[in-house]
Amino acid sequence: NTPLVNRATNGLYRPGSTFKTITSTAALNESVINENTTFLCQREYKYLDVTMHCTGYHGNINVVHALEKSCNIFYYNVSQHLGIDRLVNYEKLFGFGTSPNIEIGAASGYISSPETFKKLGIDWTPGQLLQSAIGQSEVTVSPLQMACQAMTIANKGVRYRPYLVDSI
């Protein structure tokens, strides 16, 4: 019901499994995992008094196959070792939580963190870390921010400022 909103720059959405590339980058760079580290996915993950589920039964799975299969349980395990502070740091490095600084303005979105929850008046619970690692919880990004994330990965970690092109 808002036809004049530029959804590419100002629409805010949960990134979902596309966010797993950030969690992977953080875990690999912080030596929480390496390319051979595996976690067992048996379709269910018990955390405190909650049972989380995965999209399939993947057995022992490493980061490459976890990305390929979009295995939530791998990322739940990774998040327990990585912690929210390091995950938030990488979200910021990828430009989440700040405006992409494009000429026409753009939304900043939210980083899923205890500080964001406090600002929104929501209680942070331990399970939010698991949800944050798979791009759920209160992390919201614009399509432009997701394009910048993909560009940063393609450029081996170099993040360029996006620009509008009027003509060539």
Side-chain angles (χ1 to χ4, degrees):
N1 294 333
T2 51
L4 300 179
V5 171
N6 183 340
R7 284 170 177 69
T9 59
N10 291 313
L12 293 175
Y13 310 94
R14 287 187 173 84
S17 291
T18 59
F19 188 86
K20 292 173 182 172
T21 55
I22 292 176
T23 306
S24 297
T25 301
L28 288 164
N29 283 348
E30 296 294 319
S31 299
V32 168
I33 61 170
N34 63 43
E35 65 275 6
N36 299 313
T37 303
T38 62
F39 293 107
L40 179 62
C41 171
Q42 294 182 314
R43 197 172 176 122
E44 288 187 348
Y45 183 79
K46 294 191 187 303
Y47 181 72
L48 301 175
D49 60 344
V50 177
T51 300
M52 313 285 276
H53 295 90
C54 192
T55 56
Y57 173 90
H58 302 114
N60 283 315
I61 190 166
N62 68 8
V63 66
V64 172
H65 291 109
L67 279 169
E68 179 183 287
K69 302 293 183 189
S70 193
C71 178
N72 290 346
I73 291 175
F74 178 88
Y75 290 97
Y76 297 153
N77 280 288
V78 166
S79 72
Q80 295 297 294
H81 300 302
L82 185 62
I84 193 63
D85 292 336
R86 291 192 282 187
L87 183 58
V88 164
N89 182 49
Y90 279 84
E91 289 179 71
K92 290 177 181 177
L93 289 172
F94 275 94
F96 289 177
T98 60
S99 174
N101 198 19
I102 195 164
E103 297 90 349
I104 60 173
S108 298
Y110 292 105
I111 290 176
S112 185
S113 69
E115 292 78 22
T116 297
F117 272 59
K118 185 177 181 181
K119 186 181 350 178
L120 296 174
I122 305 170
D123 290 331
W124 176 265
T125 61
Q128 293 302 329
L129 172 60
L130 305 181
Q131 292 297 315
S132 298
I134 62 167
Q136 297 298 327
S137 190
E138 293 304 315
V139 60
T140 58
V141 298
S142 69
L144 176 60
Q145 287 172 309
M146 290 306 300
C148 290
Q149 173 202 3
M151 177 247 327
T152 302
I153 291 169
N155 287 314
K156 299 180 181 177
V158 177
R159 184 167 56 107
Y160 295 103
R161 179 179 171 210
Y163 291 94
L164 294 177
V165 176
D166 184 10
S167 62
I168 296 178

